[in-house]
Amino acid sequence: MSEQKRKVVVVTGASSGFGKATAIKFAQQGWYVIALARREERLQELLQTIGEEQCEIMVFDVCCQTHIDSLVKRLKEKALHVNLLVNNAGLALGLESADKASYDDWETMVDTNIKGLIYMTRAILPSMVEAKNGHIINLGSIAGTYAYPGGNAYGGTKAFVSQFSLNLRADLAGTGVRVTNIEPGLAETEFSLVRFHGNKEKADKVYENVQALTAEDIAESIFWSANQPPHVNVNRIELMPTCQAFSPLSITQ
Ligand code: NDP
Ligand code: 8X3
């Protein structure tokens, strides 16, 4: 069977968490997976798990235009049409209040969560529009809707993802290309380990004694969105663990 007889999904940030679970889920369901991330060892492990028949990997930084260009070149050379792009790579760094936050952390979040996501989208979209077939699924967050102390720039990047997703819908009306924003709440992945710059004790505390969402829960919602009939566009899915809810608005004197 030629690769294109199977649907093709590109997953950014496939080396852990949601991206890894999504790559596995789609491969199990017969899709051909192109898995991208910076950590090669993790990608090799994923390749072993899924199998080379079903998956290819690429060491890839969404902030690097050369990497994006070489992906597009590789797709063209292999005559692969991308049916689905999952813009999942992203991160939160730090939880300090805005007056104490690190400039470097803010810059990395903007570069990855915003610029990486829009440049990936820009690179893949023309082939989808031409084929009148495609789907962009972005990973937003509840942090893009609900503010919390220390969320500052991270929440801002995810609000961008939410609005960018809606604006893509406006541009793509009539093309057959679909756009979905998945907006999860607390989910146990490497997210907190990254947010706290590798402090495992601090990261583990976030998930202590609570039943957070799992990476597989999110992969399931991505898979469900992608498998609606072509006339159905899921604009957004917001999901939280049952243990999480909204805090009251604060009033200080
Ligand atoms: P993880 O830290 O487990 O996974 C993040 C993935 O992104 C890793 O595979 C990492 O791979 C990749 N990544 C980070 N920076 C880059 C980059 N510059 N280029 C390519 N890949 C990159 O976290 P999650 O799975 O939880 O997060 C996935 C997405 O979901 C993020 O966008 C996050 O903001 C969002 N999210 C997470 C929530 C949570 O509570 N966990 C809730 C809501 C949204 P590598 O380091 O190998 O490059
Ligand atoms: C991650 C969810 O609530 O930790 O995007 O910001 S939260």
Side-chain angles (χ1 to χ4, degrees):
M1 178 163 57
S2 95
E3 278 159 10
Q4 205 49 54
K5 285 189 182 144
R6 295 174 281 185
K7 287 191 180 166
V8 173
V9 57
V10 171
V11 183
T12 69
S15 60
S16 85
F18 303 166
K20 179 179 173 186
T22 299
I24 293 170
K25 172 80 190 175
F26 277 79
Q28 282 169 347
Q29 299 298 325
W31 289 57
Y32 185 73
V33 178
I34 302 177
L36 315 176
R38 294 168 302 178
R39 285 172 294 177
E40 185 170 9
E41 272 175 32
R42 295 292 199 91
L43 288 176
Q44 290 292 354
E45 283 168 25
L46 181 70
L47 188 61
Q48 295 305 311
T49 305
I50 294 180
E52 288 180 19
E53 277 300 294
Q54 209 66 33
C55 179
E56 67 186 71
I57 57 173
M58 212 171 151
V59 175
F60 195 93
D61 186 338
V62 293
C63 304
C64 174
Q65 192 58 45
T66 312
H67 289 180
I68 295 177
D69 292 344
S70 61
L71 170 67
V72 172
K73 190 163 168 252
R74 182 157 155 180
L75 291 168
K76 274 199 182 127
E77 280 166 5
K78 297 183 85 175
L80 281 179
H81 173 66
V82 177
N83 301 94
L84 171 63
L85 168 64
V86 182
N87 275 321
N88 163 76
L91 74 176
L93 289 171
L95 199 57
E96 293 81 18
S97 65
D99 55 308
K100 299 190 185 77
S102 146
Y103 283 93
D104 286 346
D105 285 354
W106 277 13
E107 198 161 322
T108 305
M109 287 189 279
V110 169
D111 284 348
T112 313
N113 302 357
I114 296 182
K115 290 162 78 176
L117 183 143
I118 64 173
Y119 297 155
M120 275 300 292
T121 303
R122 178 66 184 83
I124 300 293
L125 256 187
S127 62
M128 290 184 171
V129 171
E130 193 186 339
K132 286 193 167 288
N133 171 292
H135 195 163
I136 310 277
I137 299 188
N138 294 326
L139 260 297
S141 166
I142 59 160
T145 305
Y146 311 104
Y148 60 84
N152 46 66
Y154 177 68
T157 64
K158 293 303 186 179
F160 177 94
V161 173
S162 164
Q163 196 60 20
F164 180 64
S165 303
L166 293 177
N167 278 281
L168 280 177
R169 289 275 295 127
D171 283 354
L172 295 169
T175 65
V177 178
R178 300 187 288 179
V179 185
T180 302
N181 193 31
I182 307 284
E183 305 173 4
L186 183 79
E188 187 164 358
T189 62
E190 292 177 19
F191 178 84
S192 293
L193 190 64
V194 171
R195 170 168 249 172
F196 297 123
H197 296 280
N199 185 332
K200 190 169 175 339
E201 205 184 351
K202 233 170 150 180
D204 287 347
K205 277 219 155 40
V206 174
Y207 310 110
E208 218 170 67
N209 303 321
V210 295
Q211 192 170 356
L213 296 171
T214 65
E216 288 72 25
D217 294 329
I218 306 308
E220 202 62 46
S221 66
I222 293 171
F223 188 75
W224 180 81
S225 305
N227 283 282
Q228 293 306 299
H231 69 284
V232 177
N233 190 98
V234 179
N235 290 346
R236 54 151 57 101
I237 296 182
E238 179 185 303
L239 62 168
M240 284 179 176
T242 310
C243 65
Q244 189 175 34
F246 318 98
S247 52
L249 293 173
S250 70
I251 301 165
T252 50
Q253 290 184 333

